[in-house]
Amino acid sequence: YHSENGGATFTQCYAVPGGWSTVASQRHGPYVYIAQENADTQSGSVIVRVSDDHGRGTGITDGTWSQPIEVGLRDGNCPEGYPVVNNNEGGTVAVVWADCPSGDIGPWALRVAVSYDNGTNWSSWNATPFESGINMYPFVSISEDDVISIAFYGLDYGQSGAEDGYVAGKEWYLYAGALQSPQENDTWEFSIADPTPLHVVTDYEESNSDVHALHDFFETVISPDGTWIGIAYQQNVG
């Protein structure tokens, strides 16, 4: 939906074919971005649509939106890991998403795509934080001087020196990391942001391959100068 009067009224919604999507826009500039699964399918790609005129138009095909730009592959349809897009005023755009090519409890992948020219050219790479584990609900924020932060709910299968997969007793944590102006194949050094476990895997969850203990109330913000990050997240207390 699009409004030009502070949200008092909105246009008829645009039909944007595909799967899960998120939207972001410049606060003062004209650019608006939609990041989306290309289809509601097991695998495929992540696409970005760009409007350089505040998202104006009467529809996705006859408005100011570009044709879909493929920014990376999708390999496995994770239960919680849709693409999230964010941007700053200077033309930097980033998209993060989770893949699970080996199923819900197999090792997940974290993927990122970055553009420094308002979505014209993109670099995309695998930024998976663990040798084996789950990185759920990755969220990206960008400062005005191109500090790009990523945070997620994480479960490292290698914690306590054990590589035994998704088993009872494993602990979920909040992870976060930031890089200045990352380029293709740069690595975020993720660290645990809250030392208190957000949840401990139960016997039921292990036997049912249930990874839904932490849900999608999750978002980050970063200061304009990149000196601080705030994260809203959940802890499962039973």
Side-chain angles (χ1 to χ4, degrees):
Y1 292 86
H2 177 84
S3 173
E4 300 208 7
N5 54 16
T9 60
F10 284 85
T11 61
Q12 173 65 35
C13 67
Y14 300 158
V16 186
W20 286 103
S21 65
T22 55
V23 64
S25 69
Q26 290 182 319
R27 291 187 296 277
H28 305 293
Y31 283 92
V32 186
Y33 309 93
I34 297 174
Q36 186 177 31
E37 297 172 345
N38 69 310
D40 187 15
T41 54
Q42 185 69 18
S43 60
S45 63
V46 169
I47 58 175
V48 173
R49 302 173 192 265
V50 182
S51 168
D52 61 2
D53 189 22
H54 306 278
R56 291 186 173 111
T58 58
I60 203 69
T61 57
D62 58 359
T64 62
W65 294 92
S66 69
Q67 290 298 306
I69 304 164
E70 289 197 3
V71 299
L73 61 83
R74 290 187 298 112
D75 188 8
N77 189 11
C78 293
E80 325 282 354
Y82 47 75
V84 172
V85 62
N86 222 323
N87 65 279
N88 66 13
E89 299 299 289
T92 300
V93 193
V95 184
V96 294
W97 66 98
D99 274 350
C100 48
S102 301
D104 292 1
I105 62 169
W108 288 32
L110 189 157
R111 302 190 185 276
V112 61
V114 178
S115 170
Y116 290 105
D117 54 9
N118 292 303
T120 300
N121 297 287
W122 292 84
S123 296
S124 179
W125 66 100
N126 187 327
T128 302
F130 307 129
E131 186 73 24
S132 180
I134 297 177
N135 38 260
M136 182 176 286
Y137 288 122
F139 199 97
V140 62
S141 289
I142 309 172
S143 75
E144 294 308 321
D145 57 355
D146 291 341
V147 174
I148 298 182
S149 66
I150 298 175
F152 58 89
Y153 293 134
L155 194 157
D156 183 359
Y157 287 169
Q159 60 186 240
S160 302
E163 283 286 357
D164 47 2
Y166 190 72
V167 297
K170 286 287 175 68
E171 296 174 333
W172 290 88
Y173 287 97
L174 171 67
Y175 286 84
L179 279 177
Q180 175 73 58
S181 307
Q183 302 296 322
E184 188 167 353
N185 293 324
D186 282 352
T187 300
W188 276 261
E189 294 295 332
F190 292 107
S191 58
I192 293 175
D194 183 345
T196 302
L198 305 182
H199 180 66
V200 179
V201 177
T202 65
D203 291 331
Y204 171 88
E205 290 163 347
E206 177 186 351
S207 61
N208 288 273
S209 300
D210 185 347
V211 296
H212 291 86
L214 299 165
H215 284 275
D216 56 355
F217 179 74
F218 191 88
E219 189 166 347
T220 73
V221 292
I222 194 169
S223 64
D225 63 0
T227 58
W228 60 263
I229 179 174
I231 308 173
Y233 63 99
Q234 295 187 131
Q235 181 182 29
N236 188 317
V237 294

